[in-house]
Amino acid sequence: MELLGLDGKALTTVVTGVETFGRTMEFAEAGDNVALLLRGVQRGQVRRGQVVVEPGSIAVHTRFTARVYLLGTAEGGRRTPITSGYRPPARSSTCGPTMSSAT
């Protein structure tokens, strides 16, 4: 398995066990809350936002482009205009990207 991180480097490892709430499991499915026992990986090498995948199945992306709709005052949104270089924090459950406006 590969442990893909936020630094763009892949760490190859072997899953030696799967646990959930302290009980050993035979397998896990997508969406299960599990603890993976990874051979040769120290606790400090794993951070929130990393994923365990089949080697070569996905690539790490560090940049993306998105179109964002900002709510107007009448819709309960901002009262002040957005200027070039505005960098609001984005909301994500696995990472904390910083956005930058182009206009």
Side-chain angles (χ1 to χ4, degrees), residues 9-93:
K9 298 177 184 173
L11 180 65
T12 303
T13 186
V14 174
V15 177
T16 59
V18 179
E19 297 179 356
T20 183
F21 302 106
R23 293 192 310 247
T24 303
M25 299 176 60
E26 293 295 320
F27 64 92
E29 296 178 359
D32 287 349
N33 188 11
V34 298
L36 299 176
L37 305 176
L38 303 174
R39 180 177 295 144
V41 178
Q42 301 299 317
R43 182 176 292 211
Q45 293 177 284
V46 180
R47 296 191 338 232
R48 182 179 182 91
Q50 291 180 307
V51 293
V52 178
V53 298
E54 179 181 349
S57 62
I58 64 171
V60 175
H61 298 281
T62 57
R63 296 182 64 91
F64 66 92
T65 302
R67 289 181 156 220
V68 179
Y69 177 79
L70 299 174
L71 298 176
T73 305
E75 299 169 304
R78 294 182 57 89
R79 289 186 283 281
T80 57
I82 301 294
T83 59
S84 181
Y86 177 65
R87 299 175 64 91
R91 303 292 184 242
S92 174
S93 62

